[in-house]
Amino acid sequence: QTGDARQRVLDSGWGTGVISLLLAEIGHDVTGVDVSEEMLEKAREKVRGTNHSIEFRAGDAEALEEPEDEYDLVTGRHLVWPLPDPEKAIREWQRVVRSGGRIVLIEGHWDFPEPFDGYEDIHDDLPLYDGRPPEELANFLTERGLEEVEYEPLMDPVLWGREPHYEQYIV
């Protein structure tokens, strides 16, 4: 949040770096970890030409190479649903966030009739494929030891530049 003290942030599965860049713009120290080399290059390109220093590196949300208690905040955007072992990732996020720190996820819930392109062969192997309603994901996180789990909708078209096509929220 703007006005809060500078925080060390791990943006896990940062994709093209949208959240990383927003957090850097409001003054936080951001490290981004993503398994995709293609996303790594897109994120680096997005940051070039800004005065922000974000460390982007290849890594797996389910097996982070980060030290324990390293971050004040761990973020993830649309990351939980494509993970083969989301419980393992949650344990990793709990390990790297300091006591009293936060884990903030932007997630969604959809029920499209066909799997996304590229997921046809694996969608049945992803336990949270199709996302989850916010209350269900909140319960999932609470059952895995997270405390004070809250969620709120992110359905305002201003946030997405259009009307959302499915339920989106922050938890």
Side-chain angles (χ1 to χ4, degrees):
Q1 295 179 354
T2 304
D4 286 355
R6 186 178 196 93
Q7 297 197 4
R8 289 193 37 94
V9 179
L10 177 67
D11 191 5
S12 184
W14 38 259
T16 62
V18 171
I19 301 300
S20 295
L21 192 54
L22 289 171
L23 291 166
E25 285 175 357
I26 60 173
H28 299 300
D29 295 320
V30 181
T31 299
V33 177
D34 197 291
V35 71
S36 168
E37 290 292 335
E38 180 183 344
M39 291 296 126
L40 178 62
E41 189 50 43
K42 286 181 180 183
R44 286 181 176 154
E45 182 63 33
K46 189 175 281 185
V47 173
R48 282 186 198 113
T50 73
N51 61 350
H52 303 298
S53 175
I54 301 172
E55 181 181 353
F56 289 121
R57 59 178 174 252
D60 184 347
E62 295 177 1
L64 295 169
E65 295 180 8
E66 311 298 315
E68 286 186 26
D69 304 321
E70 182 74 6
Y71 296 95
D72 301 301
L73 172 67
V74 175
T75 64
R77 178 176 174 254
H78 297 301
L79 176 63
V80 173
W81 71 267
L83 292 172
D85 191 346
E87 291 185 47
K88 190 173 179 185
I90 292 164
R91 284 192 305 272
E92 281 293 275
W93 299 335
Q94 289 170 303
R95 183 184 66 77
V96 302
V97 74
R98 68 169 173 73
S99 177
R102 293 179 181 216
I103 298 171
V104 176
L105 305 172
I106 297 171
E107 291 296 329
H109 178 238
W110 52 90
D111 189 14
F112 300 129
E114 299 296 323
F116 293 128
D117 289 344
Y119 288 88
E120 296 88 353
D121 294 335
I122 63 170
H123 75 281
D124 287 338
D125 297 326
L126 304 176
L128 298 180
Y129 188 83
D130 280 336
R132 289 294 178 271
E135 58 280 349
E136 191 175 318
L137 184 58
N139 288 337
F140 182 84
L141 296 170
T142 300
E143 289 167 1
R144 277 132 193 101
L146 275 72
E147 299 174 358
E148 300 180 40
V149 178
E150 301 174 358
Y151 57 87
E152 63 182 77
L154 295 175
M155 297 302 290
D156 190 326
V158 171
L159 298 171
W160 309 106
R162 59 174 165 64
E163 285 290 331
H165 300 299
Y166 54 88
E167 182 178 27
Q168 297 188 64
Y169 57 91
I170 188 167
V171 60

